[in-house]
Amino acid sequence: MGGFGIGTSEFAIMGLVNRVAHDLQVPISDVGYAISSYALGVVVGAPLIAALAARVPRRGLLIVLMLLFAVGNVASALAASFGPFVLLRFMAGLPHGAYFGVAALVAAAAVPIDQRARAVGRVMLGLSMANLIGAPLATWAGNLFGWQVAFAGVGIVALLTALLIRFVVPAQAIDANASPRREFTALVKPRVLFTLGVGCIGFGGMFAVFSYVIPTLTEQAGMREALGPLVLAVFGIGTMLGNVFGARLADRNLLRAIPTILIWCLIVQGLFYFAANSLWLGIFFVGLVGTSVALGPALQTRLMDVAGNAQTMAASLNHAAFNGANAIGAALAGVTVKLGFAWSTTGLVGAALAGGGVVIFYLGLWVERRQRPMAIEEGNAPH
């Protein structure tokens, strides 16, 4: 339920960019700043909340985070001009990463070690359901009654989630050794940083395409805006398939799954550049772009493996990285459109970012393999 609310808030705006731009009197491309602002809130909030709340019981922390998320979205619905709207989207994004990080840890602890990626995938399934049902419904309601309805509805879902957490999620013992200092050690671990780099850059391609998918198809393929909810639903189906198959690939062979998924992202996002000129082929490729979500469970599991004692920080930073990808992808795609390139050039931006993710992944493995013999040699050296 929490993932459903978060995903609806994050992705519904992609189907409402035209409406938001018209009502708040800004160019369509400027709405990308609101998308990037939310993502930046996730990037800032995830490490700060993970560190400062290291000793807070996980159930209580999840409730507080959902209440903050509810306030941020209701306030967004009340924004009267574009500047405050951008700021309030930043505030709404602050609890996002920490919420998912803590929820992923709770889920991973509930299953055998060889099923962790699938457990994380189930938590993230709320995001996919948001793309399949929440975002299309919010887009339909937002275009019919005003975009404010979409964010107000998310606020209601968030309040319901907080209530359900209180009565459904079991209380867990506090880690007596947890501390902000220990959580911040994740920020100096090279394997953690490289994994976050893969997410921040490699995952940006999906957001480069999806942030402007509605104007791309309306401008280049002649799509009617009424088909916007269908486009978001097709994207949602893609995210569900990607989530399921990506988690299974990760449980089988994690280090092989990550580059395989990135190469798949590079291919489908690059081909979107050509497919966007045809209505139904373009919509089909939107679904294929949605399968890029397969990267999520794989990177979350990788972070659990390399974070050591800083599990909460690493788990939260995974979603910060994904929203860093959101900010980077939306911003770069917006720049290409402002420079006068075709809307579908967002697909080429996406392919380039996915390729960058592959490079970062293999660079991280190279550094790790070079450091391993050095660590063994130092361990055998006399003191």
Side-chain angles (χ1 to χ4, degrees), residues 357-379:
V358 175
V359 172
I360 294 171
F361 174 78
Y362 282 114
L363 179 61
L365 285 186
W366 179 78
V367 170
E368 181 179 341
R369 287 165 182 165
R370 280 182 60 87
Q371 290 180 339
R372 192 176 299 159
M374 293 173 59
I376 295 174
E377 184 177 339
E378 290 174 1

Side-chain angles (χ1 to χ4, degrees), residues 205 208-210 212 215-217 220 269-277 329 332-353:
V209 174
F210 190 57
Y212 299 99
T216 297
L217 293 177
Q220 286 194 218
Q269 288 161 16
L271 290 177
F272 179 79
Y273 173 77
F274 303 98
N277 293 308
L332 291 179
V335 168
T336 62
V337 172
K338 280 194 169 185
L339 289 175
F341 291 98
W343 285 93
S344 60
T345 307
T346 56
L348 300 183
V349 174
L353 289 171

Side-chain angles (χ1 to χ4, degrees), residues 265-342:
C265 295
L266 187 156
I267 293 171
V268 298
Q269 288 161 16
L271 290 177
F272 179 79
Y273 173 77
F274 303 98
N277 293 308
S278 170
L279 175 58
W280 296 111
L281 184 62
I283 293 176
F284 174 73
F285 263 84
V286 169
L288 294 182
V289 170
T291 62
S292 305
V293 167
L295 194 60
L299 292 182
Q300 187 80 75
T301 306
R302 171 68 171 165
L303 284 169
M304 292 179 185
D305 289 341
V306 300
N309 291 326
Q311 290 287 314
T312 303
M313 176 67 76
S316 299
L317 283 173
N318 187 44
H319 295 276
F322 286 168
N323 282 271
N326 189 345
I328 291 170
L332 291 179
V335 168
T336 62
V337 172
K338 280 194 169 185
L339 289 175
F341 291 98

Side-chain angles (χ1 to χ4, degrees), residues 211-225:
S211 295
Y212 299 99
V213 68
I214 301 299
T216 297
L217 293 177
T218 54
E219 293 291 332
Q220 286 194 218
M223 185 186 79
R224 293 179 291 112
E225 282 193 24

